[in-house]
């Protein structure tokens, strides 16, 4: 689709289907065609309302589409569609109390017409956390408890309906692997890791340990994504702060969190989820509190499984969780280093330059991927040279070395072709 009119027509078609699915007969549609660029920069959002003329009820809708770039992002939407239409309904049947996702109203995988329509949570008071800031203890505790419920539900589903679970998981694509086969993705990882290593004291044991990682980043990062262990469950996948929406009371007390964006969801270790969000959001002080947070997670995991008449020891004991962390949290370290360059990027500057490129390409109404990528990488090069980035990446690498997430043996293992 190449014109604003075509996009509007498609949005209206989606809303008509949503209204029919909700049995809303007499209604009007209010569309906001001011596109919002997702903070992960691979989605565009349109907001709309369906107003029931009979009773006056308003359904707020957020419609997520692939961006107008000369690159097919629609394929990465397939995982999220599978999550909302296949996996989540199966999890909900367990009645574990995990209700920390928005309601998916409608979804379709169809090339440029690929979309996901879901309830818009912002009118309900949900909002993003400032991505440039560290999470505080209150947010960490809520998130760890929430992932405890989510992973417990998945563990139980996998045990009780193994064949159905496997069929659902077979539909998910390895987006991490696809992502790392793209040259610019590897370049962004390498630049981020190089800047992180350069920010270390060259005489320090941490520098000695990690100095060769940037040159071998593709293999090391890809290997850290792998998992062949026995503590498997469905994971969120893309667990950075901007894929979480928080609700607060009038007195600014944290009340709830909703997890969004399941494009990277897959079957794996829960440690990949936990280390990803923790290492991309933790201050130096909170890095030192890691095991306190893991205890909160494990208690939530145990309580949710107990509610299903299951024992946590049959899935992931406390000692096994700590061992899993040492063995598999390297992925979170690498993604944390990668994510901080994006989290510290000023979104407004990016969107302004993106619009400028779009205006220059008005005949095609699409932005060339090479142009957009070059612009994005240029902006990131400014981020990774900042003191804020150097502080965050240094904290992560020193923690990884001191806590044993990265050891000489671990790095050799990640470099191994076996």
């Amino acid at each position: 689709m190449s014109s604003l009119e075509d996009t509007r027509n498609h949005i209206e078609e989606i809303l008509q289907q949503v209204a029919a699915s909700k049995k809303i007969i007499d209604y009007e549609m209010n569309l906001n065609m001011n596109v919002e660029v997702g903070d992960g920069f691979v989605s565009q959002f349109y907001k709309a309302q369906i107003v029931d003329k009979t009773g006056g009820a308003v359904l707020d809708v957020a419609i997520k589409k692939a961006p107008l770039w000369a690159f097919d992002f629609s394929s990465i939407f397939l995982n999220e569609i599978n999550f909302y239409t296949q996996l989540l309904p199966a999890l909900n049947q367990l009645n574990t109390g995990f209700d920390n996702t928005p309601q998916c109203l409608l979804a379709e995988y169809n090339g440029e017409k690929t979309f996901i329509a879901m309830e818009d949570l912002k009118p309900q008071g949900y909002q993003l956390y400032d991505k440039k800031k560290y999470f505080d203890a209150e947010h960490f505790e809520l998130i760890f408890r929430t992932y405890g419920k989510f992973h417990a539900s998945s563990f139980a589903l996998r045990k009780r309906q193994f064949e159905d679970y496997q069929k659902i998981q077979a539909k998910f694509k390895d987006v991490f692997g696809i992502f790392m086969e793209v040259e610019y993705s590897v370049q962004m990882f390498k630049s981020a890791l190089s800047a992180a290593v350069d920010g270390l004291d060259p005489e320090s044991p941490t520098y000695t340990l990690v100095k060769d990682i940037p040159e071998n980043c593709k293999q090391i990062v890809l290997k850290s994504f792998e998992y062949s262990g026995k503590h498997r469950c469905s994971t969120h996948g893309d667990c950075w702060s901007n894929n979480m929406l928080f609700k607060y009371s009038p007195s600014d007390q944290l009340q709830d969190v909703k997890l969004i964006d399941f494009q990277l969801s897959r079957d794996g270790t829960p440690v990949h989820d936990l280390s990803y969000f923790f290492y991309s959001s933790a201050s130096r002080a909170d890095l030192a509190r890691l095991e306190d947070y893991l205890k909160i997670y494990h208690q939530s995991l145990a309580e949710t499984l107990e509610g299903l008449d299951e024992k946590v020891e049959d899935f992931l004991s406390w000692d096994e969780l700590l061992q899993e962390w040492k063995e598999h949290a390297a992925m979170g370290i690498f993604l944390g280093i990668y994510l901080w360059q994006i989290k510290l990027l000023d979104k407004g500057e990016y969107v302004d330059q993106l619009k400028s490129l779009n205006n220059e390409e008005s005949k095609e109404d699409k932005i060339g991927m090479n142009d957009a990528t070059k612009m994005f990488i240029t902006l990131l090069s400014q981020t990774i040279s900042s003191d804020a980035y150097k502080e965050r990446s240094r904290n992560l690498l020193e923690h990884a070395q001191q806590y044993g997430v990265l050891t000489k043996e671990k790095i050799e293992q990640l470099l191994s072709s076996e």
Side-chain angles (χ1 to χ4, degrees):
M1 304 180 76
S2 59
S3 71
L4 180 61
E5 182 180 357
D6 289 337
T7 301
R8 172 181 281 275
N9 289 338
H10 187 218
I11 298 298
E12 289 181 348
E13 291 173 6
I14 293 169
L15 294 174
Q16 289 166 3
Q17 294 179 62
V18 170
S21 71
K22 292 294 184 180
K23 297 182 170 30
I24 304 174
I25 307 301
D26 188 14
Y27 60 90
E28 65 180 30
M29 298 181 295
N30 299 324
L31 279 68
N32 181 355
M33 294 304 294
N34 294 320
V35 64
E36 297 182 15
V37 179
D39 286 87
F41 309 109
V42 295
S43 300
Q44 291 182 332
F45 290 88
Y46 298 87
K47 301 296 183 70
Q49 291 181 327
I50 299 174
V51 182
D52 188 344
K53 292 183 178 180
T54 303
V58 176
L59 178 61
D60 293 290
V61 184
I63 298 172
K64 182 177 182 179
K65 290 172 59 65
L68 295 175
W69 289 6
F71 180 83
D72 182 15
F73 274 107
S74 63
S75 61
I76 71 172
F77 278 55
L78 184 58
N79 278 4
E80 189 161 24
I81 292 173
N82 285 331
F83 176 86
Y84 280 118
T85 63
Q86 303 290 319
L87 181 61
L88 188 58
L91 293 175
N92 287 341
Q93 289 180 0
L94 296 173
N95 296 316
T96 61
F98 175 71
D99 59 354
N100 300 92
T101 64
Q103 179 188 1
C104 180
L105 303 171
L106 195 67
E108 180 181 2
Y109 180 68
N110 184 18
E112 286 190 347
K113 285 194 171 184
T114 295
F115 73 89
I116 300 172
M118 60 190 72
E119 63 174 332
D120 185 2
L121 293 171
K122 290 190 177 179
Q124 300 177 36
Y126 287 87
Q127 59 186 275
L128 290 170
Y129 193 84
D130 186 343
K131 64 185 175 70
K132 293 184 179 183
K133 292 183 178 180
Y134 297 120
F135 274 141
D136 58 25
E138 184 181 28
H139 286 79
F140 271 131
E141 290 171 10
L142 175 60
I143 297 166
F144 272 105
R145 286 197 302 270
T146 301
Y147 277 117
K149 291 192 295 181
F150 173 52
H151 294 151
S153 303
S154 176
F155 276 133
L157 178 66
R158 187 175 187 272
K159 175 186 176 182
R160 297 178 180 187
Q161 302 176 38
F162 182 73
E163 290 186 6
D164 290 339
Y165 177 89
Q166 292 291 80
K167 288 178 182 178
I168 293 172
Q169 286 298 330
K171 297 178 181 180
F172 285 77
K173 293 188 175 184
D174 177 17
V175 176
F176 280 121
I178 296 171
F179 180 72
M180 289 302 292
E181 290 303 320
V182 179
E183 183 178 353
Y184 79 83
S185 301
V186 178
Q187 181 181 343
M188 287 192 289
F189 258 106
K190 185 175 181 179
S191 297
L193 287 166
S194 295
V197 171
D198 289 345
L200 296 170
D201 178 355
E203 301 298 322
S204 69
T206 304
Y207 179 86
T208 301
L209 178 67
V210 304
K211 60 183 175 64
D212 295 327
I213 288 179
E215 286 302 314
N216 300 282
C217 72
K218 181 178 180 179
Q219 179 175 341
I220 287 177
V221 170
L222 276 173
K223 200 74 177 287
S224 74
F225 291 167
E226 295 177 1
Y227 184 69
S228 58
K230 65 179 183 178
H231 306 291
R232 307 189 74 91
C233 69
S234 294
T235 63
H236 181 180
D238 199 4
C239 316
W240 69 305
S241 59
N242 271 56
N243 286 333
M244 303 171 186
L245 293 173
F246 300 94
K247 187 173 184 178
Y248 304 88
S249 71
S251 60
D252 206 31
Q253 295 297 306
L254 180 60
Q255 293 181 319
D256 193 24
V257 62
K258 298 285 189 183
L259 307 178
I260 61 173
D261 198 339
F262 291 86
Q263 294 174 346
L264 273 61
S265 180
R266 60 178 184 159
D267 182 60
T269 171
V271 165
H272 281 169
D273 272 353
L274 303 178
S275 62
Y276 184 174
F277 96 78
F278 183 67
Y279 287 141
S280 63
S281 299
S283 67
R284 192 175 191 89
D286 279 310
L287 290 173
R289 293 191 59 202
L290 169 61
E291 292 192 11
D292 292 336
Y293 292 124
L294 289 181
K295 287 177 182 177
I296 293 170
Y297 166 80
H298 198 258
Q299 181 179 357
S300 174
L301 184 76
E303 290 174 351
T304 306
L305 287 168
E306 184 179 346
L308 295 170
D309 294 323
E310 302 282 359
K311 296 180 180 179
V312 69
E313 289 78 15
D314 294 336
F315 298 92
L316 185 65
S317 70
W318 171 248
D319 289 340
E320 288 171 329
L321 174 58
L322 294 181
Q323 186 60 34
E324 282 277 293
W325 196 275
K326 296 287 182 68
E327 293 180 1
H328 300 289
M331 172 193 168
I333 292 292
F334 299 141
L335 284 171
I337 290 171
Y338 173 84
L339 254 297
W340 272 119
Q341 66 178 330
I342 296 174
K343 294 181 72 170
L344 292 170
L345 176 65
D346 185 87
K347 181 180 175 180
E349 183 178 0
Y350 171 79
V351 171
D352 288 344
Q353 294 201 29
L354 198 61
K355 288 179 179 178
S356 176
L357 280 176
N358 202 13
N359 290 335
E360 292 173 9
E361 299 293 334
S362 57
K363 290 183 180 179
E364 303 253 336
D365 201 31
K366 281 194 175 186
I367 301 168
M369 187 63 182
N370 288 337
D371 293 335
T373 302
K374 289 176 182 177
M375 180 267 290
F376 190 45
I377 291 175
T378 297
L379 291 175
L380 291 181
S381 68
Q382 300 169 14
T383 301
I384 61 178
S385 64
S386 69
D387 291 340
Y389 178 80
K390 292 176 182 178
E391 172 193 291
R392 286 157 173 77
S393 60
R394 180 170 59 250
N395 289 345
L396 289 179
L397 288 175
E398 289 178 350
H399 163 86
Q401 183 259 325
Q402 293 164 7
Y403 192 72
V405 173
L406 288 178
T407 62
K408 180 180 179 181
E409 293 74 22
K410 182 62 180 179
I411 293 174
E412 289 175 351
Q413 177 189 346
L414 294 173
L415 285 169
S416 171
S417 59
E418 298 180 0

